[in-house]
Amino acid sequence: MRHHAHLGTPGRFTGELHKYREPVARCIAHYIRTPAVKAALVFANDFLNYAPRYEYRWERALQERMAYLADAGVTPREIVQRVVEVMALDRFEQRFENTRERDYGLARSVFQLRSMGTWRPAATLLRFAGAELF
């Protein structure tokens, strides 16, 4: 396993998602009024406004990052689209070797909806956020 593979960013991960961007956007637009997509949008909105259940360090870090993304203008639809893109990558190309790698990739792809600057998420945060998103 390559050094960065355990953090869910093997190789050209962001570029790999790009090929699913347009088909996923069309699919979401087509099914926007269905109960499943509405539920996903409600969940994504709740995730954007994340409130820690306990006072764990990674929950506070997730709350801060999601508040940053909300302030930067990320919409629930963008989160749903990014999650579906990662799941398509996993489903059609078997890109991730295990659930841990998938969780990390899922969380990192959502965090990268807006520039991360010099901020780098801890592995615990990636695992927690990815599990929450899946």
Side-chain angles (χ1 to χ4, degrees), residues 40-50 75-77 79-80:
L41 291 171
V42 167
F43 173 78
N45 188 53
D46 290 346
F47 197 69
L48 261 179
N49 300 307
Y50 183 80
T75 64
R77 185 173 174 155
I79 291 176
V80 169

Side-chain angles (χ1 to χ4, degrees), residues 10-59:
R12 303 168 312 277
F13 180 69
T14 306
E16 290 172 324
L17 288 179
H18 210 56
K19 70 174 141 185
Y20 294 108
R21 190 138 304 142
E22 186 181 332
V24 168
R26 281 195 320 258
C27 184
I28 291 172
H30 186 322
Y31 292 103
I32 195 74
R33 291 192 170 94
T34 63
V37 175
K38 287 180 182 178
L41 291 171
V42 167
F43 173 78
N45 188 53
D46 290 346
F47 197 69
L48 261 179
N49 300 307
Y50 183 80
R53 286 174 240 151
Y54 306 102
E55 286 300 314
Y56 293 121
R57 179 179 63 251
W58 56 85
E59 286 191 322

Side-chain angles (χ1 to χ4, degrees), residues 65 68-75 78 82 109-117:
R65 186 61 188 176
Y68 168 80
L69 290 175
D71 292 343
V74 171
T75 64
E78 287 178 279
R82 190 56 62 97
S109 68
V110 169
F111 290 157
Q112 290 176 341
L113 282 168
R114 296 295 183 268
S115 173
M116 290 180 26

